Amino acid sequence: MQRPLPGEYNPYFQRYFDLIPEGDLIDLLRQNGGEAVEFLLSIPQEKENYAYAEGKWNIKEVLNHINDAERIFAYRSLVAARMDGTANLSSFDENDYARNADVSHRDLKDLIEEFRILRESSIFLLYNLKDQQSSFRAQSGLYPFTARAGASFLIGHVIHHINVLKERYL
C-alpha cells in the first residue's frame, strides 16, 4: 500500500506521518506493532501508573489512548475502504475518552495484549485493499480521509507516543 498524498487527510496528521520510515505501509504496520509490543513489555511493572507531571496521563492511560485511537482510525479506514461517502467521521476528544476510561484496575500486560490484537485486526482490514479502496476519500470533519491515511496514522501515532514514553516517562 502506498503512502497517502496531501489532500487525503487532515494536515495536522503530518506530524505523525513525518515519523514513519520508508517502506510498504502493511510491512511497517507489522514492524511497528511488534516493536511497540517489545518496548511496552520492557516497562517495569512499578512504572505502569507513573505520570511525569500532575494532570498528565500515566503509562497505562497512554497505552489505553493508543488502543482507542487504533480502534477509531481502523473504523475510519474501514469506512473509506468500503467507499462510504456518507458516514459521520467526526473528530474525538482524546481527553474526554481518557477521562471516561478507568484503567486503574487493569495491568499493563493486559493493555499490551489488547494493542497486539487490535493491531492484528487493523492489518487484516488493510492488507487486501485494492488501490481504489485505499485511496477513496471519505469525509472526516473538514478533511477527506483515506484508508492509506489511516494506516499511516496508526504507525506514526504509535511512534509518537513511544517517543514520548521514552523521553518523559522512563
Side-chain angles (χ1 to χ4, degrees), residues 22 41 48 62 68 91 99 108 124 137 144 147 160:
E22 291 300 316
L41 286 170
E48 64 185 28
V62 170
D68 283 350
S91 63
R99 218 176 350 270
L108 188 61
F124 273 103
R137 294 174 189 220
H160 165 75

Side-chain angles (χ1 to χ4, degrees), residues 153-168:
F153 178 88
L154 293 174
I155 298 163
H157 185 251
V158 167
I159 293 170
H160 165 75
H161 283 292
I162 295 296
N163 288 344
V164 170
L165 288 171
K166 288 177 179 177
E167 293 166 10
R168 297 184 184 164

Side-chain angles (χ1 to χ4, degrees), residues 91-99:
S91 63
F92 78 105
D93 184 324
E94 67 265 9
N95 291 310
D96 284 345
Y97 275 56
R99 218 176 350 270

Side-chain angles (χ1 to χ4, degrees), residues 39-49 59 108 170:
F39 166 74
L40 293 164
L41 286 170
S42 76
I43 296 173
Q45 185 177 3
E46 61 271 10
K47 287 283 230 170
E48 64 185 28
N49 291 305
I59 291 175
L108 188 61
L170 302 173

Side-chain angles (χ1 to χ4, degrees), residues 25-45:
L25 289 177
I26 300 301
D27 292 340
L28 291 170
L29 274 167
R30 285 190 182 104
Q31 178 184 345
N32 174 258
E35 289 172 354
V37 167
E38 183 178 334
F39 166 74
L40 293 164
L41 286 170
S42 76
I43 296 173
Q45 185 177 3

Side-chain angles (χ1 to χ4, degrees), residues 56-144:
K56 295 297 183 181
W57 296 338
N58 67 39
I59 291 175
K60 290 191 306 186
E61 290 168 328
V62 170
L63 183 49
N64 194 66
H65 162 69
I66 291 170
N67 290 345
D68 283 350
E70 188 86 16
R71 283 185 172 92
I72 290 165
F73 281 82
Y75 171 72
R76 290 177 181 183
S77 296
L78 171 66
V79 168
R82 298 304 182 253
M83 305 172 83
D84 181 348
T86 62
N88 179 4
L89 299 178
S90 59
S91 63
F92 78 105
D93 184 324
E94 67 265 9
N95 291 310
D96 284 345
Y97 275 56
R99 218 176 350 270
N100 292 302
D102 179 9
V103 295
S104 62
H105 63 285
R106 297 181 68 184
D107 66 23
L108 188 61
K109 286 187 178 171
D110 180 52
L111 289 160
I112 295 168
E113 180 63 6
E114 182 180 348
F115 170 76
R116 189 192 64 72
I117 291 167
L118 288 168
R119 178 52 60 94
E120 279 295 313
S121 178
S122 297
I123 291 167
F124 273 103
L125 167 66
L126 297 162
Y127 179 72
N128 288 306
L129 296 182
K130 305 286 187 222
D131 187 55
Q132 183 181 18
Q133 294 169 300
S134 71
S135 63
F136 178 82
R137 294 174 189 220
Q139 196 61 32
S140 179
L142 300 174
Y143 302 97

